[in-house]
Amino acid sequence: MEVATIEYCEPKVLGHGFSFKACEQAILVKAYKLDKGLFLWIGSLSQPVLEDLALSMSTPYGQDPLQTKLLGDVLNMSSMNLGARLSKKLDKPVYVSFNISMDKLSLPAIEAGIVEEMKKFPLQF
Amino acid sequence: MACVESLEKLSLLDVSEPSVIKPFIQQSPLKETVTAAKIDGVHTDIVITEFVNRIFIVLTQRQSFSSLLLVSKDGPKTFEGKAEDIYTVKSIFGVDSEQSGNLVARFLSEHTCMNKPALFALGLKDHSPRTVRALRDIINQHKSW
């Protein structure tokens, strides 16, 4: 069985993780930055699951980014809304996985936490 | 005085204020690996993250995802005992007719003994058996399950 040669090197994908408390919920965020995209996972620190995913990307055909839900409940628009804003800001496709059952109060707090981290570490996003 | 108190209550409700967001330093419960290798000279980024319900694997040579595939495993039981595992690959993003990605995801799920469903984010230029076997070896070396 032929196997290709493997030579380990420095990864081009940047992995960044951080956690914060928003409205008494411990939130964990993972970001994987690629040259042509960003994967952002948002979940609870106590139960980190991956059950939701949406893709947003800007196109030259309209002002608003295109969005599509890839995984999870179609009625839960949090990942699409957040992804649309991020893809517009970063000008690249953004995959957002939003895995928290939240209420009206915690969603803006979670978004503010992510934006704060993006301002602190812009190169990681 | 009453006015000051009501203002304080109002500011507590304003969740958009940065004061509500407290940095919370605790060790991440996620097991993850971010690595890269030159496979036959082609730079390949590999990310393996184990969530509670799913394993997320990125294998890209393009710095982007060209397809996203969900792989699940079923172990059917027959009267004679346990039959061979059945793998189901579902394409959730990318060109569905391109079977090479499905084969890669299917092969890697089986040969790395994944114990939970997996989400593969692929962006491979080379789908040859040589490369896929090298990817299997890298995952087996870094996996947490």
Side-chain angles (χ1 to χ4, degrees):
Chain A
M1 289 282 200
E2 259 188 274
V3 181
T5 55
I6 301 169
E7 195 189 315
Y8 284 98
C9 56
E10 199 59 36
K12 286 183 189 169
V13 173
L14 282 180
H16 181 65
F18 59 98
S19 56
F20 57 91
K21 260 194 171 176
C23 298
E24 298 309 311
Q25 275 197 89
I27 310 293
L28 180 65
V29 180
K30 281 270 157 197
Y32 298 115
K33 183 195 177 185
L34 300 104
D35 268 359
K36 299 175 200 163
L38 174 76
F39 180 89
L40 192 72
W41 176 90
I42 302 143
S44 127
L45 197 70
S46 54
Q47 188 70 4
V49 292
L50 172 63
E51 51 194 20
D52 173 275
L53 189 63
L55 167 65
S56 306
M57 60 165 87
S58 301
T59 68
Y61 310 110
Q63 279 193 333
D64 295 323
L66 287 181
Q67 305 159 45
T68 182
K69 189 91 179 187
L70 302 171
L71 199 64
D73 185 4
V74 186
L75 295 175
N76 185 357
M77 305 284 280
S78 313
S79 48
M80 286 167 77
N81 293 338
L82 180 62
R85 266 171 276 154
L86 289 176
S87 65
K88 211 170 179 179
K89 186 178 158 61
L90 300 168
D91 198 26
K92 59 182 174 184
V94 177
Y95 296 83
V96 176
S97 176
F98 197 93
N99 306 279
I100 300 164
S101 49
M102 45 72 208
D103 50 49
K104 281 180 186 168
L105 282 177
S106 49
L107 184 61
I110 293 165
E111 284 197 27
I114 296 164
V115 170
E116 206 174 291
E117 188 78 7
M118 286 176 91
K119 280 182 188 159
K120 265 194 246 169
F121 304 99
L123 295 177
Q124 300 288 338
F125 295 91
Chain B
M1 189 66 189
C3 181
V4 174
E5 269 178 17
S6 65
L7 270 175
E8 277 173 2
K9 277 178 191 165
L10 193 69
S11 71
L12 279 174
L13 283 172
D14 186 3
V15 288
S16 59
E17 277 210 356
S19 58
V20 179
I21 301 143
K22 298 168 193 153
F24 184 72
I25 297 165
Q26 194 176 317
Q27 206 172 354
S28 165
L30 295 176
K31 295 165 195 157
E32 67 158 354
T33 303
V34 180
T35 187
K38 288 201 165 153
I39 299 177
D40 268 352
V42 182
H43 183 97
T44 312
D45 282 295
I46 299 122
V47 178
I48 306 166
T49 312
E50 194 182 347
F51 293 95
V52 170
N53 62 336
R54 221 169 241 138
I55 298 165
F56 176 60
I57 296 187
V58 176
L59 303 167
T60 180
Q61 296 172 328
R62 298 177 193 273
Q63 281 292 300
S64 65
F65 305 154
S66 33
S67 61
L68 289 171
L69 303 156
L70 275 177
V71 185
S72 57
K73 184 174 88 170
D74 293 298
K77 283 177 185 160
T78 61
F79 288 114
E80 288 90 35
K82 209 167 174 258
E84 267 187 37
D85 291 331
I86 297 169
Y87 289 85
T88 311
V89 184
K90 191 179 159 200
S91 171
I92 58 167
F93 178 68
V95 187
D96 200 20
S97 58
E98 202 185 283
Q99 291 296 308
S100 46
N102 291 23
L103 283 172
V104 171
R106 162 75 175 76
F107 176 86
L108 292 177
S109 299
E110 186 178 355
H111 290 87
T112 56
C113 307
M114 286 182 188
N115 52 4
K116 48 182 103 167
L119 173 63
F120 281 88
L122 302 179
L124 296 174
K125 291 176 187 168
D126 178 12
H127 294 89
S128 66
R130 275 172 62 85
T131 300
V132 181
R133 282 188 209 114
L135 290 169
R136 171 201 61 194
D137 292 348
I138 294 171
I139 296 173
N140 278 330
Q141 217 174 337
H142 292 94
K143 68 183 182 183
S144 53
W145 57 93

